[in-house]
């Protein structure tokens, strides 16, 4: 599904260049569940942002479904991102002014689907994640675990081929965190490719492969 070749990312200021990624060669097959680990500042989130086309690399190649998307401009990246990738963030990133239903429906609005199509998909995913009874609630009326389930529902409602998760259990207690990891595992077993950044060894063990980053480089992998 994805492949990077000698991927690099440098953040430059007037006084200093910071090399966040240094020649990363990385690939993920369809249907894999990969965890990316490493200390703070090692380049994990930078790599995830590039894989999700939220940012572009300074150098190297990034192939998504066989296309080198590294040189794409923001318009082309955005178009592909909306169709193919779902995002789950540590801080949920829900819109407080929208209901649960409206938050989950949001990705579908960008895909120009009919109201009936949107309704069917939102209802189905809320039912699957046991949130249908909360559809008219607002995020601040929910627990942290419920908010993260809403975020997962929003990430999967458009049936993306890949989900990128950035510390998805970071703001949850251990019980709610395990529930979220079980949900991600179930999605992966149904064929969704998942790439997750985490500091948690326990969460990483849910994956099929653990990739360790250090100083912007992959130092080892474990299956």
């Amino acid at each position: 599904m994805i492949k990077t070749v000698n991927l690099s990312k440098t953040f430059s200021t007037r006084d200093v260049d910071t090399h966040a990624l240094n020649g990363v060669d990385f690939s993920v097959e369809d249907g894999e569940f990969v965890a990316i680990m490493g200390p703070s500042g090692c380049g994990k989130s930078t790599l995830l942002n590039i894989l999700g086309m939220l940012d572009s690399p300074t150098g190297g190649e990034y192939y998504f479904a066989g296309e080198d998307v590294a040189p794409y401009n923001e318009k082309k990246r955005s178009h592909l991102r909306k169709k193919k990738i779902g995002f789950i963030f540590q801080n949920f990133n829900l819109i407080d002014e929208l209901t649960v239903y409206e938050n989950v429906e949001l990705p579908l609005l960008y895909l120009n689907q009919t109201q009936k199509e949107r309704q069917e998909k939102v209802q189905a995913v809320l039912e699957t994640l046991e949130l249908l009874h909360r559809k008219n609630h607002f995020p601040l009326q929910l627990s942290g675990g419920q908010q993260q389930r809403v975020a997962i529902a929003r990430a999967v409602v458009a049936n993306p081929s890949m989900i990128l998760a950035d510390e998805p259990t970071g703001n949850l207690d251990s019980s709610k965190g395990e529930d979220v990891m079980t949900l991600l595992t179930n999605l992966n077993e149904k064929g969704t490719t998942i790439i997750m950044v985490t500091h948690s060894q326990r969460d990483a063990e849910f994956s099929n492969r653990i990739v360790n980053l250090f100083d912007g480089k992959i130092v080892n992998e474990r299956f």
Side-chain angles (χ1 to χ4, degrees):
M1 167 169 276
I2 67 169
K3 180 181 179 181
T4 72
V5 180
N6 199 30
L7 200 71
S8 64
K9 180 66 177 182
T10 301
F11 296 99
S12 299
T13 66
R14 186 175 63 181
D15 301 319
V16 66
D17 290 338
T18 301
H19 302 288
L21 297 176
N22 295 291
V24 173
D25 296 323
F26 177 64
S27 63
V28 177
E29 300 295 330
D30 284 340
E32 272 199 281
F33 187 167
V34 178
I36 301 174
M37 300 192 73
S40 296
C42 72
K44 301 187 303 297
S45 293
T46 299
L47 178 58
L48 203 70
N49 285 340
I50 291 174
L51 297 180
M53 300 180 223
L54 296 171
D55 199 358
S56 55
T58 306
E61 303 163 22
Y62 171 30
Y63 295 92
F64 185 93
E67 294 183 64
D68 184 6
V69 300
Y72 278 15
N73 60 28
E74 172 54 25
K75 183 177 181 181
K76 292 184 72 174
R77 291 202 310 266
S78 176
H79 178 72
L80 191 56
R81 186 169 64 232
K82 290 172 183 175
K83 291 174 61 179
K84 299 292 186 179
I85 303 174
F87 295 90
I88 302 171
F89 301 97
Q90 177 179 354
N91 294 321
F92 317 138
N93 283 14
L94 301 176
I95 299 174
D96 291 340
E97 294 76 20
L98 300 181
T99 64
V100 166
Y101 183 99
E102 291 166 339
N103 267 283
V104 176
E105 182 188 32
L106 198 56
L108 302 178
L109 295 175
Y110 296 115
L111 299 178
N112 298 318
Q113 298 190 358
T114 67
Q115 182 177 358
K116 182 179 179 182
E117 288 173 326
R118 298 197 307 270
Q119 183 177 19
E120 289 175 350
K121 291 181 178 181
V122 175
Q123 293 274 125
V125 75
L126 289 179
E127 186 171 0
T128 298
L129 293 178
E130 300 180 357
L131 288 165
L132 198 55
H133 65 298
R134 299 285 190 181
K135 70 177 183 178
N136 294 321
H137 287 66
F138 292 92
L140 295 179
Q141 296 175 302
L142 307 177
S143 69
Q146 289 170 334
Q147 289 185 57
Q148 191 61 298
R149 280 157 56 202
V150 175
I152 293 173
R154 181 185 57 190
V156 304
V157 70
N159 195 30
S161 52
M162 180 170 73
I163 289 178
L164 301 180
D166 193 356
E167 300 284 2
T169 69
N171 285 328
L172 303 176
D173 62 35
S174 59
S175 174
K176 295 296 187 297
E178 188 163 345
D179 289 344
V180 166
M181 292 310 304
T182 299
L183 285 171
L184 292 179
T185 301
N186 291 340
L187 290 169
N188 177 248
E189 289 173 349
K190 293 176 182 177
T192 304
T193 303
I194 298 176
I195 303 174
M196 174 182 68
V197 160
T198 183
H199 280 99
S200 168
Q201 185 65 45
R202 186 191 65 176
D203 288 358
E205 295 296 337
F206 282 86
S207 69
N208 310 128
R209 175 162 56 111
I210 300 173
V211 175
N212 284 287
L213 278 179
F214 188 77
D215 285 347
K217 298 179 180 180
I218 292 177
V219 291
N220 60 61
E221 299 186 35
R222 179 163 62 86
F223 291 86

